[in-house]
Amino acid sequence: SYEINPSKGDGSLFLLNPDNGFKKVLDRGSRAQLSPNSDYLAATIKVQSDTVRKQKFDKVKKDKLSKDSLAIWVFNTNTITKIPKIKSFKLASEESSWMAYLLTQETSNKKEEKSEGEEGEKEEEADKAKKPKVKKSEGSEFVIIEPIKALEYRFEEVTEYLISKKGNKIAFIATKNDSLEKTEVSVFDTKKQETKVIFEGYGISKKMSFDEAGDQLVFMYSSDTAKTKIYEVMYWDVKADQANTLISANTEGMPEDWSPKCSWKHKLL
């Protein structure tokens, strides 16, 4: 595949099969990725440049701007599926046809009905005072798929995800908010097609990293509610039910008043 992108206007993604001379053009296609088994291709379909230009001229809010789409071309059936409002997508690097994508967060168009009359307004204000403020989850819908076999699994309120090198495991973080922010880290086994929650806690989780085999995972976790957070490095392997603390501010040998930082680059071999 290759792209032709003019300095002004919309570009095109050209898909070629040199074996049979087949050629297909995806208007506004970009960032194409071929699956490790060469059985499908995934690419971003950008929003029309005229639409983007007009929305920016009209000062449309960022969360209201038109979003890119995802195109998946399955070779053996010669079908292209398009999924709208994509935030990102990822494929494995080796030996797998599994992939995953994250949708953009939808802003609800529903407006709460206001009580009519003075008495109704007082009751509404009293109810608001009783209820704790709930922070809106930053997550959105997350989808794991195997395009060749048409397998699909969906999850809600996901903020971050990661596919192991061989595609045998897919890890993702979900943020669930009630009165406090709650984080949940899960691992999906693509061979068993099973999901395991490996960690739950109040706070935030970030920065996941798999080892080469996809059998071990590390990530950063903080239960701190302060703006400057103190993190722990959490560790999980396939033989364990739950992730455990690997490094924290209390780890032996850690200098006084030091702790793991979320900007650390951690990698399992």
Side-chain angles (χ1 to χ4, degrees), residues 25-36:
V25 180
L26 281 179
D27 292 334
R28 306 187 312 281
S30 68
R31 298 193 291 274
Q33 292 186 42
L34 185 66
S35 70

Side-chain angles (χ1 to χ4, degrees), residues 46-62:
K46 293 181 178 180
V47 180
Q48 289 179 321
S49 58
D50 287 346
T51 301
V52 175
R53 194 179 300 111
K54 185 178 186 307
Q55 289 179 339
K56 288 183 177 180
F57 180 80
D58 293 340
K59 297 182 179 179
V60 175
K61 291 183 179 179
K62 189 175 180 180

Side-chain angles (χ1 to χ4, degrees), residues 7-26:
S7 58
K8 186 177 181 181
D10 298 319
S12 297
L13 173 66
F14 294 82
L15 312 173
L16 306 174
N17 187 335
D19 294 333
N20 56 20
F22 179 84
K23 182 177 179 180
K24 199 172 190 71
V25 180
L26 281 179

Side-chain angles (χ1 to χ4, degrees), residues 198-215:
I198 63 166
F199 180 78
E200 287 182 287
Y202 287 103
I204 60 172
S205 299
K206 291 183 176 182
K207 304 277 186 180
M208 298 181 293
S209 180
F210 273 116
D211 69 338
E212 289 285 312
D215 292 336

Side-chain angles (χ1 to χ4, degrees), residues 102 137-140 142 155-162 170-176 182-187 198-199 203-209 217-221:
L102 190 64
S137 171
E138 295 180 359
S140 55
F142 174 61
F155 305 90
E156 299 296 330
E157 299 179 308
V158 173
T159 54
E160 185 179 327
Y161 65 104
L162 180 69
I170 300 175
F172 55 95
I173 298 170
T175 302
K176 303 177 185 295
K182 187 177 181 181
T183 183
E184 184 179 282
V185 182
S186 302
V187 175
I198 63 166
F199 180 78
I204 60 172
S205 299
K206 291 183 176 182
K207 304 277 186 180
M208 298 181 293
S209 180
L217 179 77
V218 292
F219 59 93
M220 307 295 289
Y221 165 69

Side-chain angles (χ1 to χ4, degrees), residues 32-269:
Q33 292 186 42
L34 185 66
S35 70
N37 296 328
S38 298
D39 45 15
Y40 71 88
L41 182 142
T44 299
I45 304 296
K46 293 181 178 180
V47 180
Q48 289 179 321
S49 58
D50 287 346
T51 301
V52 175
R53 194 179 300 111
K54 185 178 186 307
Q55 289 179 339
K56 288 183 177 180
F57 180 80
D58 293 340
K59 297 182 179 179
V60 175
K61 291 183 179 179
K62 189 175 180 180
D63 61 341
K64 298 287 186 181
L65 291 171
S66 298
K67 305 297 190 297
D68 293 340
S69 299
L70 169 65
I72 302 172
W73 177 27
V74 177
F75 300 145
N76 63 359
T77 58
N78 194 28
T79 55
I80 295 179
T81 302
K82 293 182 181 180
I83 299 116
K85 299 180 180 179
I86 281 290
K87 187 174 184 180
S88 65
F89 70 91
K90 294 178 182 179
L91 280 68
S93 300
E94 299 176 3
E95 303 176 10
S96 177
S97 292
W98 287 87
M99 66 170 290
Y101 60 86
L102 190 64
L103 295 168
T104 56
Q105 190 177 47
E106 290 296 310
T107 304
S108 176
N109 293 320
K110 295 180 181 179
K111 293 183 179 179
E112 294 182 4
E113 294 181 5
K114 293 184 179 180
S115 303
E116 293 183 5
E118 188 177 341
E119 188 176 341
E121 288 178 4
K122 287 180 180 179
E123 287 178 2
E124 189 176 336
E125 288 176 6
D127 288 341
K128 284 182 179 179
K130 290 178 184 177
K131 293 178 182 178
K133 290 184 178 180
V134 178
K135 183 182 175 183
K136 186 180 177 181
S137 171
E138 295 180 359
S140 55
E141 189 173 8
F142 174 61
V143 187
I144 298 172
I145 60 170
E146 209 282 22
I148 308 306
K149 298 178 182 177
L151 301 173
E152 179 181 282
Y153 297 87
R154 291 178 176 264
F155 305 90
E156 299 296 330
E157 299 179 308
V158 173
T159 54
E160 185 179 327
Y161 65 104
L162 180 69
I163 301 182
S164 64
K165 186 175 181 179
K166 297 181 179 180
N168 56 333
K169 302 287 192 305
I170 300 175
F172 55 95
I173 298 170
T175 302
K176 303 177 185 295
N177 291 332
D178 41 36
S179 56
L180 293 172
E181 189 173 31
K182 187 177 181 181
T183 183
E184 184 179 282
V185 182
S186 302
V187 175
F188 178 81
D189 187 315
T190 58
K191 291 182 179 178
K192 297 178 181 178
Q193 294 179 43
E194 294 176 352
T195 305
K196 176 187 284 189
V197 178
I198 63 166
F199 180 78
E200 287 182 287
Y202 287 103
I204 60 172
S205 299
K206 291 183 176 182
K207 304 277 186 180
M208 298 181 293
S209 180
F210 273 116
D211 69 338
E212 289 285 312
D215 292 336
Q216 301 176 86
L217 179 77
V218 292
F219 59 93
M220 307 295 289
Y221 165 69
S222 176
S223 59
D224 203 337
T225 56
K227 188 174 182 180
T228 303
K229 300 184 184 301
I230 297 174
Y231 284 90
E232 300 174 29
V233 178
M234 307 298 293
Y235 170 79
W236 171 85
D237 68 49
V238 289
K239 297 177 183 177
D241 288 328
Q242 295 290 301
N244 294 299
T245 302
L246 181 65
I247 304 172
S248 73
N250 299 320
T251 298
E252 186 177 351
M254 181 71 72
E256 189 176 352
D257 297 327
W258 283 49
S259 68
K261 290 182 66 177
C262 201
S263 58
W264 277 11
K265 292 183 179 180
H266 46 274
K267 183 177 181 181
L268 290 169
L269 300 177

